[in-house]
Amino acid sequence: MEKITSVKNERVKRVTKIMSSPKERKYSGKYLVEGPRMTREIPLKDIDQIFVTQDYYDREVDADSKLLRAVSYAVDNGKCFIVSKEVLRKLTNTEKPQGIAALVKMHTYTLNDLLKKTDTPPMIIIAERLQDPGNMGTIIRSAEGAGATGILVSYDSVDIYSPKVVRATMGSIFRKKIAITYDLLGDIRRMKEEGITVYGMHLDGKSMYDMDFTGPSAFMIGNEGQGLSEEITAEADKLLRIPMVGELESLNAGASATIVAYEFLRQRIQKADMLFL
């Protein structure tokens, strides 16, 4: 394995640019993840490079079967590099990195990928102009947990491959189909043409508990401060809201999307159970 001890190494410079710049991430088709938890989750075919300190390699890798699998794949393919702690701090932009980081290949999806026929009706989450990395990461993670088909994200939302978003997904970003769209309005209309009912989260909507989510469905969530734009709201077949007590008007975008996604899942599980009664 090649050893890298200087922060001025050309490979380190390239990875640092990818870490810090959305433009570089898009151009390279790669993004960085840090720590053993995320590294364990990477599909082997998506590993581009792994960077690990000698101390962490000697102390932790052999004792962790999933981590050993990822690192062994990288070693066998000439993609593993032993780095100094200083270099790892530079790569991750973290004062106390966790000993290992990896460069991961991106997957590019489109609406067509989300509309591919499956055995179950599609359930798609649509995010318009979301800006908070934590909210976006939570939505991606909840999409996996609730069994969403995928997520459609407007181009003017936060970069889904930014370090904060990736960290918040806890590995779900490796497994969910996420399509970035430059024509959100057109894609929503296409979904409706395909027989998908499109719901918009809105304070003027009806209770989500009065909705039937068991058919082909999508739900839209908007910007943290402004909600859905008027243009996109107008495309909704139905507007929904989460019932609340107290003085609250709304929850944050991540929490709201999670609650709605799991109501989709609850209704679909209940319908499936009823079919076998």
Side-chain angles (χ1 to χ4, degrees), residues 31 33 37-38 41-43 107 109 136-146 148 150-151 160-161 165-178 262:
Y31 61 102
V33 303
R37 183 164 189 168
M38 292 294 288
E41 302 288 329
I42 308 169
H107 288 277
Y109 296 104
M136 183 64 80
T138 296
I139 289 171
I140 294 170
R141 191 178 182 196
S142 297
E144 179 179 20
I151 308 164
I160 65 169
Y161 293 109
V165 173
V166 170
R167 193 178 305 122
T169 70
M170 303 294 284
S172 292
I173 196 164
F174 303 140
R175 298 180 289 270
K176 289 315 298 180
K177 293 179 180 178
I178 308 169
Y262 275 90

PDB file of all heavy atoms in Angstrom, residues 31 33 37-38 41-43 107 109 136-146 148 150-151 160-161 165-178 262:
ATOM      1  N   TYR A  31     -17.508  11.553  -4.040  1.00  0.00           N
ATOM      2  CA  TYR A  31     -17.679  12.304  -2.806  1.00  0.00           C
ATOM      3  C   TYR A  31     -16.994  11.553  -1.670  1.00  0.00           C
ATOM      4  O   TYR A  31     -16.706  10.354  -1.779  1.00  0.00           O
ATOM      5  CB  TYR A  31     -19.163  12.536  -2.491  1.00  0.00           C
ATOM      6  CG  TYR A  31     -19.986  11.282  -2.299  1.00  0.00           C
ATOM      7  CD1 TYR A  31     -20.339  10.841  -1.020  1.00  0.00           C
ATOM      8  CD2 TYR A  31     -20.438  10.537  -3.396  1.00  0.00           C
ATOM      9  CE1 TYR A  31     -21.102   9.695  -0.845  1.00  0.00           C
ATOM     10  CE2 TYR A  31     -21.204   9.397  -3.225  1.00  0.00           C
ATOM     11  CZ  TYR A  31     -21.532   8.976  -1.952  1.00  0.00           C
ATOM     12  OH  TYR A  31     -22.280   7.840  -1.776  1.00  0.00           O
ATOM     13  N   VAL A  33     -16.590  10.205   2.320  1.00  0.00           N
ATOM     14  CA  VAL A  33     -17.246   9.846   3.582  1.00  0.00           C
ATOM     15  C   VAL A  33     -16.163   9.604   4.620  1.00  0.00           C
ATOM     16  O   VAL A  33     -15.051   9.194   4.294  1.00  0.00           O
ATOM     17  CB  VAL A  33     -18.143   8.597   3.442  1.00  0.00           C
ATOM     18  CG1 VAL A  33     -19.185   8.799   2.360  1.00  0.00           C
ATOM     19  CG2 VAL A  33     -17.330   7.346   3.154  1.00  0.00           C
ATOM     20  N   ARG A  37     -18.204   3.776  10.437  1.00  0.00           N
ATOM     21  CA  ARG A  37     -19.618   3.453  10.243  1.00  0.00           C
ATOM     22  C   ARG A  37     -20.026   3.619   8.780  1.00  0.00           C
ATOM     23  O   ARG A  37     -20.692   2.755   8.211  1.00  0.00           O
ATOM     24  CB  ARG A  37     -20.486   4.329  11.144  1.00  0.00           C
ATOM     25  CG  ARG A  37     -21.964   3.993  11.055  1.00  0.00           C
ATOM     26  CD  ARG A  37     -22.751   4.574  12.201  1.00  0.00           C
ATOM     27  NE  ARG A  37     -24.115   4.070  12.211  1.00  0.00           N
ATOM     28  CZ  ARG A  37     -24.942   4.229  13.221  1.00  0.00           C
ATOM     29  NH1 ARG A  37     -24.548   4.855  14.312  1.00  0.00           N
ATOM     30  NH2 ARG A  37     -26.173   3.755  13.157  1.00  0.00           N
ATOM     31  N   MET A  38     -19.635   4.747   8.182  1.00  0.00           N
ATOM     32  CA  MET A  38     -19.985   4.974   6.785  1.00  0.00           C
ATOM     33  C   MET A  38     -19.181   4.069   5.863  1.00  0.00           C
ATOM     34  O   MET A  38     -19.707   3.541   4.876  1.00  0.00           O
ATOM     35  CB  MET A  38     -19.742   6.439   6.419  1.00  0.00           C
ATOM     36  CG  MET A  38     -20.681   7.421   7.090  1.00  0.00           C
ATOM     37  SD  MET A  38     -22.404   7.240   6.553  1.00  0.00           S
ATOM     38  CE  MET A  38     -22.312   7.902   4.901  1.00  0.00           C
ATOM     39  N   GLU A  41     -20.535   0.632   5.181  1.00  0.00           N
ATOM     40  CA  GLU A  41     -21.778   0.553   4.417  1.00  0.00           C
ATOM     41  C   GLU A  41     -21.576   0.664   2.903  1.00  0.00           C
ATOM     42  O   GLU A  41     -22.479   0.371   2.132  1.00  0.00           O
ATOM     43  CB  GLU A  41     -22.728   1.660   4.869  1.00  0.00           C
ATOM     44  CG  GLU A  41     -23.099   1.647   6.336  1.00  0.00           C
ATOM     45  CD  GLU A  41     -24.033   0.506   6.684  1.00  0.00           C
ATOM     46  OE1 GLU A  41     -24.832   0.117   5.822  1.00  0.00           O
ATOM     47  OE2 GLU A  41     -23.947   0.013   7.819  1.00  0.00           O
ATOM     48  N   ILE A  42     -20.403   1.105   2.459  1.00  0.00           N
ATOM     49  CA  ILE A  42     -20.206   1.377   1.028  1.00  0.00           C
ATOM     50  C   ILE A  42     -20.270   0.075   0.221  1.00  0.00           C
ATOM     51  O   ILE A  42     -19.548  -0.876   0.526  1.00  0.00           O
ATOM     52  CB  ILE A  42     -18.832   2.031   0.775  1.00  0.00           C
ATOM     53  CG1 ILE A  42     -18.622   3.256   1.658  1.00  0.00           C
ATOM     54  CG2 ILE A  42     -18.703   2.428  -0.702  1.00  0.00           C
ATOM     55  CD1 ILE A  42     -17.192   3.786   1.632  1.00  0.00           C
ATOM     56  N   PRO A  43     -21.092  -0.004  -0.800  1.00  0.00           N
ATOM     57  CA  PRO A  43     -21.032  -1.161  -1.711  1.00  0.00           C
ATOM     58  C   PRO A  43     -19.634  -1.245  -2.323  1.00  0.00           C
ATOM     59  O   PRO A  43     -19.070  -0.228  -2.725  1.00  0.00           O
ATOM     60  CB  PRO A  43     -22.088  -0.820  -2.779  1.00  0.00           C
ATOM     61  CG  PRO A  43     -23.010   0.160  -2.111  1.00  0.00           C
ATOM     62  CD  PRO A  43     -22.145   0.959  -1.185  1.00  0.00           C
ATOM     63  N   HIS A 107     -23.812   7.819  -8.052  1.00  0.00           N
ATOM     64  CA  HIS A 107     -24.744   7.224  -9.015  1.00  0.00           C
ATOM     65  C   HIS A 107     -25.656   8.329  -9.527  1.00  0.00           C
ATOM     66  O   HIS A 107     -26.140   9.140  -8.739  1.00  0.00           O
ATOM     67  CB  HIS A 107     -25.571   6.118  -8.370  1.00  0.00           C
ATOM     68  CG  HIS A 107     -24.798   4.886  -8.079  1.00  0.00           C
ATOM     69  ND1 HIS A 107     -24.550   3.919  -9.027  1.00  0.00           N
ATOM     70  CD2 HIS A 107     -24.173   4.467  -6.944  1.00  0.00           C
ATOM     71  CE1 HIS A 107     -23.834   2.946  -8.503  1.00  0.00           C
ATOM     72  NE2 HIS A 107     -23.574   3.256  -7.235  1.00  0.00           N
ATOM     73  N   TYR A 109     -29.158   9.265 -11.183  1.00  0.00           N
ATOM     74  CA  TYR A 109     -30.495   8.745 -11.465  1.00  0.00           C
ATOM     75  C   TYR A 109     -31.358   9.842 -12.076  1.00  0.00           C
ATOM     76  O   TYR A 109     -31.108  11.035 -11.876  1.00  0.00           O
ATOM     77  CB  TYR A 109     -31.155   8.244 -10.175  1.00  0.00           C
ATOM     78  CG  TYR A 109     -30.445   7.080  -9.531  1.00  0.00           C
ATOM     79  CD1 TYR A 109     -29.663   7.258  -8.393  1.00  0.00           C
ATOM     80  CD2 TYR A 109     -30.555   5.794 -10.058  1.00  0.00           C
ATOM     81  CE1 TYR A 109     -29.015   6.192  -7.795  1.00  0.00           C
ATOM     82  CE2 TYR A 109     -29.898   4.716  -9.471  1.00  0.00           C
ATOM     83  CZ  TYR A 109     -29.128   4.922  -8.338  1.00  0.00           C
ATOM     84  OH  TYR A 109     -28.476   3.870  -7.753  1.00  0.00           O
ATOM     85  N   MET A 136     -32.128  17.332   4.824  1.00  0.00           N
ATOM     86  CA  MET A 136     -31.991  16.499   3.639  1.00  0.00           C
ATOM     87  C   MET A 136     -31.489  15.103   4.010  1.00  0.00           C
ATOM     88  O   MET A 136     -31.999  14.090   3.509  1.00  0.00           O
ATOM     89  CB  MET A 136     -31.051  17.151   2.638  1.00  0.00           C
ATOM     90  CG  MET A 136     -30.914  16.380   1.320  1.00  0.00           C
ATOM     91  SD  MET A 136     -32.461  16.293   0.373  1.00  0.00           S
ATOM     92  CE  MET A 136     -32.440  17.930  -0.384  1.00  0.00           C
ATOM     93  N   GLY A 137     -30.505  15.050   4.891  1.00  0.00           N
ATOM     94  CA  GLY A 137     -29.987  13.751   5.312  1.00  0.00           C
ATOM     95  C   GLY A 137     -31.054  12.912   5.997  1.00  0.00           C
ATOM     96  O   GLY A 137     -31.160  11.709   5.766  1.00  0.00           O
ATOM     97  N   THR A 138     -31.858  13.552   6.847  1.00  0.00           N
ATOM     98  CA  THR A 138     -32.944  12.845   7.535  1.00  0.00           C
ATOM     99  C   THR A 138     -33.959  12.302   6.540  1.00  0.00           C
ATOM    100  O   THR A 138     -34.441  11.165   6.675  1.00  0.00           O
ATOM    101  CB  THR A 138     -33.649  13.792   8.527  1.00  0.00           C
ATOM    102  OG1 THR A 138     -32.722  14.173   9.546  1.00  0.00           O
ATOM    103  CG2 THR A 138     -34.849  13.120   9.172  1.00  0.00           C
ATOM    104  N   ILE A 139     -34.297  13.094   5.533  1.00  0.00           N
ATOM    105  CA  ILE A 139     -35.277  12.656   4.530  1.00  0.00           C
ATOM    106  C   ILE A 139     -34.756  11.441   3.765  1.00  0.00           C
ATOM    107  O   ILE A 139     -35.484  10.480   3.520  1.00  0.00           O
ATOM    108  CB  ILE A 139     -35.622  13.823   3.578  1.00  0.00           C
ATOM    109  CG1 ILE A 139     -36.451  14.864   4.327  1.00  0.00           C
ATOM    110  CG2 ILE A 139     -36.374  13.324   2.346  1.00  0.00           C
ATOM    111  CD1 ILE A 139     -36.667  16.155   3.562  1.00  0.00           C
ATOM    112  N   ILE A 140     -33.485  11.467   3.393  1.00  0.00           N
ATOM    113  CA  ILE A 140     -32.899  10.329   2.664  1.00  0.00           C
ATOM    114  C   ILE A 140     -32.915   9.082   3.540  1.00  0.00           C
ATOM    115  O   ILE A 140     -33.267   7.983   3.090  1.00  0.00           O
ATOM    116  CB  ILE A 140     -31.471  10.665   2.205  1.00  0.00           C
ATOM    117  CG1 ILE A 140     -31.492  11.789   1.163  1.00  0.00           C
ATOM    118  CG2 ILE A 140     -30.781   9.426   1.628  1.00  0.00           C
ATOM    119  CD1 ILE A 140     -30.126  12.365   0.825  1.00  0.00           C
ATOM    120  N   ARG A 141     -32.566   9.236   4.799  1.00  0.00           N
ATOM    121  CA  ARG A 141     -32.557   8.100   5.729  1.00  0.00           C
ATOM    122  C   ARG A 141     -33.969   7.562   5.956  1.00  0.00           C
ATOM    123  O   ARG A 141     -34.205   6.356   5.954  1.00  0.00           O
ATOM    124  CB  ARG A 141     -31.930   8.538   7.047  1.00  0.00           C
ATOM    125  CG  ARG A 141     -31.616   7.384   7.988  1.00  0.00           C
ATOM    126  CD  ARG A 141     -30.964   7.901   9.244  1.00  0.00           C
ATOM    127  NE  ARG A 141     -30.623   6.811  10.139  1.00  0.00           N
ATOM    128  CZ  ARG A 141     -30.326   6.963  11.411  1.00  0.00           C
ATOM    129  NH1 ARG A 141     -30.328   8.165  11.951  1.00  0.00           N
ATOM    130  NH2 ARG A 141     -30.021   5.923  12.172  1.00  0.00           N
ATOM    131  N   SER A 142     -34.919   8.483   6.146  1.00  0.00           N
ATOM    132  CA  SER A 142     -36.310   8.058   6.367  1.00  0.00           C
ATOM    133  C   SER A 142     -36.909   7.422   5.124  1.00  0.00           C
ATOM    134  O   SER A 142     -37.758   6.536   5.225  1.00  0.00           O
ATOM    135  CB  SER A 142     -37.152   9.261   6.804  1.00  0.00           C
ATOM    136  OG  SER A 142     -36.697   9.767   8.036  1.00  0.00           O
ATOM    137  N   ALA A 143     -36.484   7.882   3.950  1.00  0.00           N
ATOM    138  CA  ALA A 143     -36.974   7.290   2.701  1.00  0.00           C
ATOM    139  C   ALA A 143     -36.627   5.810   2.640  1.00  0.00           C
ATOM    140  O   ALA A 143     -37.445   4.982   2.207  1.00  0.00           O
ATOM    141  CB  ALA A 143     -36.370   8.023   1.502  1.00  0.00           C
ATOM    142  N   GLU A 144     -35.433   5.475   3.085  1.00  0.00           N
ATOM    143  CA  GLU A 144     -35.058   4.057   3.113  1.00  0.00           C
ATOM    144  C   GLU A 144     -35.895   3.302   4.134  1.00  0.00           C
ATOM    145  O   GLU A 144     -36.452   2.237   3.838  1.00  0.00           O
ATOM    146  CB  GLU A 144     -33.582   3.884   3.430  1.00  0.00           C
ATOM    147  CG  GLU A 144     -33.190   2.411   3.478  1.00  0.00           C
ATOM    148  CD  GLU A 144     -31.719   2.159   3.768  1.00  0.00           C
ATOM    149  OE1 GLU A 144     -31.040   3.054   4.301  1.00  0.00           O
ATOM    150  OE2 GLU A 144     -31.264   1.046   3.456  1.00  0.00           O
ATOM    151  N   GLY A 145     -36.009   3.863   5.330  1.00  0.00           N
ATOM    152  CA  GLY A 145     -36.739   3.172   6.389  1.00  0.00           C
ATOM    153  C   GLY A 145     -38.199   2.948   6.066  1.00  0.00           C
ATOM    154  O   GLY A 145     -38.785   1.938   6.461  1.00  0.00           O
ATOM    155  N   ALA A 146     -38.817   3.893   5.357  1.00  0.00           N
ATOM    156  CA  ALA A 146     -40.239   3.793   5.039  1.00  0.00           C
ATOM    157  C   ALA A 146     -40.500   3.083   3.716  1.00  0.00           C
ATOM    158  O   ALA A 146     -41.649   2.924   3.309  1.00  0.00           O
ATOM    159  CB  ALA A 146     -40.865   5.187   5.007  1.00  0.00           C
ATOM    160  N   ALA A 148     -39.537   4.039   0.596  1.00  0.00           N
ATOM    161  CA  ALA A 148     -39.811   4.899  -0.563  1.00  0.00           C
ATOM    162  C   ALA A 148     -39.077   4.377  -1.795  1.00  0.00           C
ATOM    163  O   ALA A 148     -37.977   3.837  -1.701  1.00  0.00           O
ATOM    164  CB  ALA A 148     -39.384   6.334  -0.277  1.00  0.00           C
ATOM    165  N   GLY A 150     -37.883   6.269  -4.136  1.00  0.00           N
ATOM    166  CA  GLY A 150     -36.750   7.152  -4.340  1.00  0.00           C
ATOM    167  C   GLY A 150     -37.127   8.576  -4.011  1.00  0.00           C
ATOM    168  O   GLY A 150     -38.243   8.860  -3.546  1.00  0.00           O
ATOM    169  N   ILE A 151     -36.196   9.487  -4.263  1.00  0.00           N
ATOM    170  CA  ILE A 151     -36.380  10.893  -3.930  1.00  0.00           C
ATOM    171  C   ILE A 151     -36.053  11.737  -5.162  1.00  0.00           C
ATOM    172  O   ILE A 151     -35.040  11.505  -5.822  1.00  0.00           O
ATOM    173  CB  ILE A 151     -35.453  11.306  -2.778  1.00  0.00           C
ATOM    174  CG1 ILE A 151     -35.609  10.347  -1.591  1.00  0.00           C
ATOM    175  CG2 ILE A 151     -35.733  12.734  -2.323  1.00  0.00           C
ATOM    176  CD1 ILE A 151     -34.498  10.441  -0.576  1.00  0.00           C
ATOM    177  N   ILE A 160     -26.735  17.108  -2.223  1.00  0.00           N
ATOM    178  CA  ILE A 160     -26.962  15.868  -1.469  1.00  0.00           C
ATOM    179  C   ILE A 160     -25.665  15.148  -1.140  1.00  0.00           C
ATOM    180  O   ILE A 160     -25.642  14.261  -0.279  1.00  0.00           O
ATOM    181  CB  ILE A 160     -27.917  14.911  -2.220  1.00  0.00           C
ATOM    182  CG1 ILE A 160     -27.289  14.431  -3.540  1.00  0.00           C
ATOM    183  CG2 ILE A 160     -29.270  15.542  -2.442  1.00  0.00           C
ATOM    184  CD1 ILE A 160     -28.043  13.287  -4.187  1.00  0.00           C
ATOM    185  N   TYR A 161     -24.571  15.510  -1.817  1.00  0.00           N
ATOM    186  CA  TYR A 161     -23.285  14.867  -1.547  1.00  0.00           C
ATOM    187  C   TYR A 161     -22.365  15.729  -0.683  1.00  0.00           C
ATOM    188  O   TYR A 161     -21.184  15.423  -0.549  1.00  0.00           O
ATOM    189  CB  TYR A 161     -22.589  14.508  -2.858  1.00  0.00           C
ATOM    190  CG  TYR A 161     -23.322  13.435  -3.630  1.00  0.00           C
ATOM    191  CD1 TYR A 161     -24.006  13.749  -4.809  1.00  0.00           C
ATOM    192  CD2 TYR A 161     -23.344  12.128  -3.178  1.00  0.00           C
ATOM    193  CE1 TYR A 161     -24.686  12.761  -5.512  1.00  0.00           C
ATOM    194  CE2 TYR A 161     -24.026  11.141  -3.874  1.00  0.00           C
ATOM    195  CZ  TYR A 161     -24.692  11.463  -5.043  1.00  0.00           C
ATOM    196  OH  TYR A 161     -25.371  10.491  -5.735  1.00  0.00           O
ATOM    197  N   VAL A 165     -24.685  16.435   4.650  1.00  0.00           N
ATOM    198  CA  VAL A 165     -25.822  15.621   4.211  1.00  0.00           C
ATOM    199  C   VAL A 165     -25.457  14.143   4.249  1.00  0.00           C
ATOM    200  O   VAL A 165     -26.199  13.313   4.798  1.00  0.00           O
ATOM    201  CB  VAL A 165     -26.275  16.012   2.787  1.00  0.00           C
ATOM    202  CG1 VAL A 165     -27.348  15.039   2.282  1.00  0.00           C
ATOM    203  CG2 VAL A 165     -26.813  17.434   2.759  1.00  0.00           C
ATOM    204  N   VAL A 166     -24.319  13.805   3.686  1.00  0.00           N
ATOM    205  CA  VAL A 166     -23.880  12.405   3.637  1.00  0.00           C
ATOM    206  C   VAL A 166     -23.806  11.822   5.041  1.00  0.00           C
ATOM    207  O   VAL A 166     -24.273  10.704   5.301  1.00  0.00           O
ATOM    208  CB  VAL A 166     -22.518  12.290   2.926  1.00  0.00           C
ATOM    209  CG1 VAL A 166     -21.948  10.879   3.080  1.00  0.00           C
ATOM    210  CG2 VAL A 166     -22.658  12.640   1.449  1.00  0.00           C
ATOM    211  N   ARG A 167     -23.235  12.577   5.972  1.00  0.00           N
ATOM    212  CA  ARG A 167     -23.117  12.103   7.351  1.00  0.00           C
ATOM    213  C   ARG A 167     -24.491  11.855   7.966  1.00  0.00           C
ATOM    214  O   ARG A 167     -24.697  10.860   8.667  1.00  0.00           O
ATOM    215  CB  ARG A 167     -22.339  13.134   8.173  1.00  0.00           C
ATOM    216  CG  ARG A 167     -21.871  12.654   9.531  1.00  0.00           C
ATOM    217  CD  ARG A 167     -21.069  13.734  10.252  1.00  0.00           C
ATOM    218  NE  ARG A 167     -19.957  14.192   9.444  1.00  0.00           N
ATOM    219  CZ  ARG A 167     -19.772  15.457   9.071  1.00  0.00           C
ATOM    220  NH1 ARG A 167     -20.647  16.384   9.404  1.00  0.00           N
ATOM    221  NH2 ARG A 167     -18.733  15.783   8.336  1.00  0.00           N
ATOM    222  N   ALA A 168     -25.439  12.748   7.696  1.00  0.00           N
ATOM    223  CA  ALA A 168     -26.771  12.634   8.279  1.00  0.00           C
ATOM    224  C   ALA A 168     -27.564  11.452   7.728  1.00  0.00           C
ATOM    225  O   ALA A 168     -28.499  10.982   8.365  1.00  0.00           O
ATOM    226  CB  ALA A 168     -27.549  13.929   8.070  1.00  0.00           C
ATOM    227  N   THR A 169     -27.205  10.966   6.540  1.00  0.00           N
ATOM    228  CA  THR A 169     -27.943   9.824   5.968  1.00  0.00           C
ATOM    229  C   THR A 169     -27.579   8.508   6.647  1.00  0.00           C
ATOM    230  O   THR A 169     -28.301   7.519   6.496  1.00  0.00           O
ATOM    231  CB  THR A 169     -27.665   9.663   4.461  1.00  0.00           C
ATOM    232  OG1 THR A 169     -26.317   9.209   4.258  1.00  0.00           O
ATOM    233  CG2 THR A 169     -27.914  10.952   3.703  1.00  0.00           C
ATOM    234  N   MET A 170     -26.460   8.459   7.351  1.00  0.00           N
ATOM    235  CA  MET A 170     -26.024   7.247   8.055  1.00  0.00           C
ATOM    236  C   MET A 170     -25.925   6.039   7.132  1.00  0.00           C
ATOM    237  O   MET A 170     -26.224   4.910   7.515  1.00  0.00           O
ATOM    238  CB  MET A 170     -26.969   6.937   9.223  1.00  0.00           C
ATOM    239  CG  MET A 170     -27.099   8.067  10.226  1.00  0.00           C
ATOM    240  SD  MET A 170     -25.567   8.398  11.114  1.00  0.00           S
ATOM    241  CE  MET A 170     -25.558   7.030  12.261  1.00  0.00           C
ATOM    242  N   GLY A 171     -25.572   6.268   5.873  1.00  0.00           N
ATOM    243  CA  GLY A 171     -25.385   5.178   4.925  1.00  0.00           C
ATOM    244  C   GLY A 171     -26.516   4.985   3.934  1.00  0.00           C
ATOM    245  O   GLY A 171     -26.352   4.291   2.933  1.00  0.00           O
ATOM    246  N   SER A 172     -27.663   5.597   4.190  1.00  0.00           N
ATOM    247  CA  SER A 172     -28.804   5.418   3.280  1.00  0.00           C
ATOM    248  C   SER A 172     -28.520   5.986   1.896  1.00  0.00           C
ATOM    249  O   SER A 172     -29.116   5.539   0.905  1.00  0.00           O
ATOM    250  CB  SER A 172     -30.063   6.075   3.859  1.00  0.00           C
ATOM    251  OG  SER A 172     -30.498   5.392   5.015  1.00  0.00           O
ATOM    252  N   ILE A 173     -27.632   6.960   1.802  1.00  0.00           N
ATOM    253  CA  ILE A 173     -27.317   7.553   0.498  1.00  0.00           C
ATOM    254  C   ILE A 173     -26.715   6.527  -0.454  1.00  0.00           C
ATOM    255  O   ILE A 173     -26.796   6.664  -1.670  1.00  0.00           O
ATOM    256  CB  ILE A 173     -26.369   8.764   0.662  1.00  0.00           C
ATOM    257  CG1 ILE A 173     -26.367   9.597  -0.625  1.00  0.00           C
ATOM    258  CG2 ILE A 173     -24.959   8.323   1.062  1.00  0.00           C
ATOM    259  CD1 ILE A 173     -25.786  10.972  -0.465  1.00  0.00           C
ATOM    260  N   PHE A 174     -26.128   5.459   0.085  1.00  0.00           N
ATOM    261  CA  PHE A 174     -25.561   4.409  -0.766  1.00  0.00           C
ATOM    262  C   PHE A 174     -26.651   3.532  -1.392  1.00  0.00           C
ATOM    263  O   PHE A 174     -26.403   2.848  -2.377  1.00  0.00           O
ATOM    264  CB  PHE A 174     -24.637   3.492   0.043  1.00  0.00           C
ATOM    265  CG  PHE A 174     -23.500   4.199   0.734  1.00  0.00           C
ATOM    266  CD1 PHE A 174     -23.131   3.834   2.020  1.00  0.00           C
ATOM    267  CD2 PHE A 174     -22.794   5.203   0.110  1.00  0.00           C
ATOM    268  CE1 PHE A 174     -22.077   4.468   2.670  1.00  0.00           C
ATOM    269  CE2 PHE A 174     -21.743   5.851   0.742  1.00  0.00           C
ATOM    270  CZ  PHE A 174     -21.389   5.474   2.029  1.00  0.00           C
ATOM    271  N   ARG A 175     -27.838   3.548  -0.798  1.00  0.00           N
ATOM    272  CA  ARG A 175     -28.849   2.552  -1.174  1.00  0.00           C
ATOM    273  C   ARG A 175     -30.121   3.122  -1.805  1.00  0.00           C
ATOM    274  O   ARG A 175     -30.896   2.365  -2.383  1.00  0.00           O
ATOM    275  CB  ARG A 175     -29.219   1.732   0.072  1.00  0.00           C
ATOM    276  CG  ARG A 175     -28.048   0.951   0.650  1.00  0.00           C
ATOM    277  CD  ARG A 175     -28.449   0.160   1.886  1.00  0.00           C
ATOM    278  NE  ARG A 175     -28.703   0.992   3.035  1.00  0.00           N
ATOM    279  CZ  ARG A 175     -27.785   1.355   3.929  1.00  0.00           C
ATOM    280  NH1 ARG A 175     -26.526   0.961   3.775  1.00  0.00           N
ATOM    281  NH2 ARG A 175     -28.097   2.116   4.955  1.00  0.00           N
ATOM    282  N   LYS A 176     -30.370   4.420  -1.657  1.00  0.00           N
ATOM    283  CA  LYS A 176     -31.592   4.988  -2.206  1.00  0.00           C
ATOM    284  C   LYS A 176     -31.337   5.688  -3.540  1.00  0.00           C
ATOM    285  O   LYS A 176     -30.298   6.310  -3.749  1.00  0.00           O
ATOM    286  CB  LYS A 176     -32.203   6.017  -1.240  1.00  0.00           C
ATOM    287  CG  LYS A 176     -32.821   5.425   0.012  1.00  0.00           C
ATOM    288  CD  LYS A 176     -33.679   4.213  -0.211  1.00  0.00           C
ATOM    289  CE  LYS A 176     -34.891   4.449  -1.081  1.00  0.00           C
ATOM    290  NZ  LYS A 176     -35.701   3.206  -1.273  1.00  0.00           N
ATOM    291  N   LYS A 177     -32.311   5.593  -4.423  1.00  0.00           N
ATOM    292  CA  LYS A 177     -32.237   6.305  -5.700  1.00  0.00           C
ATOM    293  C   LYS A 177     -32.644   7.761  -5.468  1.00  0.00           C
ATOM    294  O   LYS A 177     -33.760   8.034  -5.026  1.00  0.00           O
ATOM    295  CB  LYS A 177     -33.163   5.656  -6.725  1.00  0.00           C
ATOM    296  CG  LYS A 177     -32.737   4.255  -7.138  1.00  0.00           C
ATOM    297  CD  LYS A 177     -33.724   3.666  -8.128  1.00  0.00           C
ATOM    298  CE  LYS A 177     -33.298   2.267  -8.553  1.00  0.00           C
ATOM    299  NZ  LYS A 177     -34.266   1.649  -9.498  1.00  0.00           N
ATOM    300  N   ILE A 178     -31.718   8.671  -5.778  1.00  0.00           N
ATOM    301  CA  ILE A 178     -31.981  10.100  -5.612  1.00  0.00           C
ATOM    302  C   ILE A 178     -31.728  10.778  -6.953  1.00  0.00           C
ATOM    303  O   ILE A 178     -30.609  10.741  -7.475  1.00  0.00           O
ATOM    304  CB  ILE A 178     -31.079  10.714  -4.531  1.00  0.00           C
ATOM    305  CG1 ILE A 178     -31.156   9.902  -3.230  1.00  0.00           C
ATOM    306  CG2 ILE A 178     -31.466  12.175  -4.284  1.00  0.00           C
ATOM    307  CD1 ILE A 178     -30.100  10.273  -2.205  1.00  0.00           C
ATOM    308  N   TYR A 262     -43.813   7.516   6.935  1.00  0.00           N
ATOM    309  CA  TYR A 262     -44.184   6.343   7.720  1.00  0.00           C
ATOM    310  C   TYR A 262     -45.691   6.131   7.772  1.00  0.00           C
ATOM    311  O   TYR A 262     -46.155   5.011   7.988  1.00  0.00           O
ATOM    312  CB  TYR A 262     -43.577   6.427   9.125  1.00  0.00           C
ATOM    313  CG  TYR A 262     -42.156   5.894   9.135  1.00  0.00           C
ATOM    314  CD1 TYR A 262     -41.084   6.732   8.900  1.00  0.00           C
ATOM    315  CD2 TYR A 262     -41.904   4.531   9.307  1.00  0.00           C
ATOM    316  CE1 TYR A 262     -39.783   6.242   8.859  1.00  0.00           C
ATOM    317  CE2 TYR A 262     -40.619   4.032   9.273  1.00  0.00           C
ATOM    318  CZ  TYR A 262     -39.560   4.898   9.049  1.00  0.00           C
ATOM    319  OH  TYR A 262     -38.290   4.395   9.000  1.00  0.00           O
TER     320      TYR A 262
END
